[in-house]
Amino acid sequence: MCANLTKQSNFDAIIIGGGACGLMCAVQAGFLGKRTLMLERNDRVGAKILISGGGRCNYTNLHTTAQQFISANPHFSKSALSQWTVDDTINFFETYGITGQEKTLGQLFPTTNKAKDIVEVFTNLCADLDQTIWLETEVKAVEQAQGGFVITYERYGKTQQITSPNVVMASGGLPVQKLGASDFGLRIARQFGLNVVKTVPALVPLTITGKDQSWYEQLSGNSIFCRVWNERISFEENILFTHWGLSGPAILQISSYWQAGEVFYMDMLPQQNITDLITAERATNPKKLLLNLLAGLYTRKFAEALSSMLPVQKNLASLSKADLELMEQLIHEFKVKPAGDKGYDKAEVMRGGVDTDELSSKTLEAKKVPGLYFGGECVDVTGWLGGYNFQWAWASGFVIAQQF
Ligand SMILES: Cc1cc2nc3c(=O)[nH]c(=O)nc-3n(C[C@H](O)[C@H](O)[C@H](O)COP(=O)(O)OP(=O)(O)OC[C@H]3O[C@@H](n4cnc5c(N)ncnc54)[C@H](O)[C@@H]3O)c2cc1C
């Protein structure tokens, strides 16, 4: 370490990572008259915000409670989520010209449908509030020094150092490397002796291989409304068949509760009962082919694909009790055994991260390292699909900004 190269900064905090958490932290610190320096390795801030929600950014969820977050400590997120609520998110963005519209299941998007409007709120505020952002600046190391920390970073090919009394680790999680994702937050946590809960891809498509693969493959592009469940959780949303397996919102949701080797189930007619439907239809239309009944409920392609499992060429009148029992099982309790998931490059978030036992839930400061804070996705708090992850990122950024 070359002390003579180290710049003594007069920033109140250095924020590592210019994503959702870091940006909210910088702006909120600015409102309180504090000065921050944000170090971001990309050539722009908010890379994930820009592509989120298909470029429209699902920036919060009206139904947010701690129950929509997965963590080894399910109570941990409560404090931050109550210090910065969904109403705070809505009011904050409204103040800067963004009104929200609910698409489905409480998911709020800007009425303009433009994620870049969300990022602009932060870049404009950072400029107005004199918060400094250094882009194309990759942080390489964080070490404790007298009165704070020394941060080593690489900028324009040069390695330099800067000091700060406080460091905010807002460097995100492992998904989507090309958007700047890194394990930096996890590495720094370990270096300071903090435990890290095992990380795995979450909100991620699932793959099917082996003898079942061709069955899924033939349905590529077909989407069905399902209840997808296992012994831990249940979600009612669409699933999407792909040439390598399953995707769509219900699959992404269950993936966060799925572990390698496990099965889960799909009810492909969650709001009706197939036996009741057949019984009713049989009374007026006994000659109708099962194939045609199924094609009316789903796509014809899907009905045809079921022919390998069900007697779809029989008419309704000739279906036996055993046929009906088979239908019940296949339609309402379709068993899926994924081979794996599509990995961090296709995941929306990671599960696991810095162990919440190591952090104060009220301040997000590391209990063992005063002045070191962790927020956003690098913490072991993982939201469901639907705007919950941004709500956590905003809330944790806000909370940290109140501390230094
Ligand atoms: C395709 C996709 C769509 C999504 N859509 C939604 C959605 O609609 N709603 C929702 O709630 N969530 C969504 N998410 C999840 C959401 O984007 C994340 O939960 C959220 O961005 C996490 O915020 P963060 O600030 O913790 O991390 P990030 O936003 O990932 O920011 C971390 C930043 O740190 C930088 N960084 C990392 N290491 C270093 C280093 N060593 N030095 C300097 N900088 C570094 C990275 O470049 C990055 O810019 C989506 C995710 C993906 C991948």
Side-chain angles (χ1 to χ4, degrees):
M1 183 102 5
C2 304
N4 57 345
L5 286 180
T6 306
K7 276 187 235 150
Q8 302 297 316
S9 86
N10 49 15
F11 294 103
D12 295 299
I14 285 183
I15 300 171
I16 302 175
C21 174
L23 288 166
M24 184 58 97
C25 187
V27 162
Q28 295 296 335
F31 288 149
L32 297 171
K34 303 168 191 176
R35 288 204 62 226
T36 63
L37 167 64
M38 177 183 288
L39 306 179
E40 167 55 56
R41 72 203 294 218
N42 288 335
D43 60 2
R44 58 169 74 175
V45 292
K48 268 194 197 166
I49 303 175
L50 288 168
I51 53 101
S52 67
R56 297 173 306 158
C57 187
N58 175 196
Y59 64 95
T60 191
N61 193 296
L62 299 174
H63 309 316
T64 304
T65 69
Q67 281 171 3
Q68 290 89 31
F69 295 89
I70 305 165
S71 171
N73 176 356
H75 303 291
F76 182 82
S77 62
K78 285 182 182 166
S79 175
L81 294 173
S82 67
Q83 291 180 64
W84 179 267
T85 64
V86 172
D87 281 347
D88 290 324
T89 300
I90 293 169
N91 293 336
F92 171 80
F93 285 113
E94 272 182 9
T95 304
Y96 300 102
I98 294 184
T99 47
Q101 57 177 331
E102 183 187 353
K103 292 260 151 118
T104 175
L105 302 169
Q107 300 171 6
L108 225 63
F109 293 77
T111 42
T112 58
N113 275 327
K114 288 187 183 134
K116 79 171 184 31
D117 294 350
I118 297 274
V119 176
E120 269 171 26
V121 167
F122 291 107
T123 46
N124 291 340
L125 279 171
C126 281
D128 292 350
L129 295 164
D130 205 18
Q131 304 299 299
T132 307
I133 300 175
W134 290 354
L135 299 174
E136 296 179 75
T137 305
E138 180 165 358
V139 180
K140 298 288 187 184
V142 177
E143 282 149 303
Q144 247 173 331
Q146 222 183 0
F149 301 87
V150 176
I151 289 110
T152 306
Y153 61 92
E154 199 175 291
R155 193 164 193 237
Y156 307 141
K158 274 203 204 141
T159 301
Q160 297 180 67
Q161 293 182 324
I162 189 165
T163 63
S164 174
N166 298 291
V167 169
V168 180
M169 294 302 309
S171 53
L174 295 168
V176 198
Q177 227 178 351
K178 67 173 190 287
L179 297 174
S182 79
D183 66 349
F184 191 67
L186 308 178
R187 268 195 279 140
I188 293 302
R190 289 194 188 99
Q191 174 201 313
F192 281 101
L194 313 186
N195 187 43
V196 171
V197 174
K198 183 176 177 265
T199 56
V200 285
L203 299 182
V204 63
L206 298 172
T207 58
I208 308 281
T209 55
K211 64 176 172 39
D212 293 337
Q213 188 183 354
S214 57
W215 189 82
Y216 287 85
E217 206 172 0
Q218 67 179 322
L219 286 168
S220 182
N222 281 249
S223 179
I224 294 180
F225 183 74
C226 281
R227 185 170 77 87
V228 175
W229 87 98
N230 61 17
E231 68 279 7
R232 293 186 274 279
I233 198 85
S234 159
F235 293 99
E236 260 187 42
E237 282 182 77
N238 281 341
I239 63 150
L240 175 70
F241 291 91
T242 73
H243 57 276
W244 37 257
L246 287 166
S247 187
I251 297 300
L252 300 189
Q253 298 281 36
I254 198 88
S255 75
S256 298
Y257 290 85
W258 175 81
Q259 283 166 26
E262 290 182 353
V263 298
F264 65 84
Y265 298 90
M266 303 198 295
D267 182 343
M268 301 191 288
L269 199 60
Q271 291 165 356
Q272 297 173 79
N273 176 266
I274 191 70
T275 309
D276 292 349
L277 268 179
I278 290 173
T279 311
E281 186 71 15
R282 188 156 54 184
T284 54
N285 208 350
K287 294 246 156 34
K288 186 171 188 171
L289 290 184
L290 177 58
L291 179 72
N292 292 337
L293 181 123
L294 292 171
L297 293 173
Y298 307 104
T299 59
R300 177 152 290 269
K301 179 88 195 146
F302 187 70
E304 283 165 4
L306 287 174
S307 67
S308 60
M309 304 170 193
L310 292 172
V312 296
Q313 293 305 338
K314 280 192 178 177
N315 63 41
L316 300 182
S318 61
L319 288 172
S320 66
K321 195 163 171 273
D323 290 336
L324 290 177
E325 279 168 11
L326 183 60
M327 296 274 299
E328 278 279 341
Q329 204 193 346
L330 266 171
I331 299 294
H332 293 297
E333 227 172 288
F334 190 95
K335 191 170 164 181
V336 184
K337 183 155 194 208
D341 62 56
K342 290 290 276 180
Y344 282 118
D345 271 349
K346 298 288 176 207
E348 287 207 5
V349 282
M350 75 179 185
R351 217 174 63 203
V354 178
D355 191 334
T356 56
D357 279 354
E358 304 283 9
L359 309 176
S360 154
S361 63
K362 290 192 177 58
T363 65
L364 301 177
E365 189 174 26
K367 290 175 188 166
K368 293 175 190 155
V369 194
L372 182 65
Y373 298 86
F374 289 85
E377 200 178 322
C378 62
V379 179
D380 174 33
V381 173
T382 308
W384 287 2
L385 187 79
Y388 299 102
N389 285 295
F390 278 139
Q391 184 59 28
W392 166 249
W394 313 136
S396 52
F398 169 84
V399 165
I400 296 170
Q402 313 306 304
Q403 313 307 324
F404 46 78

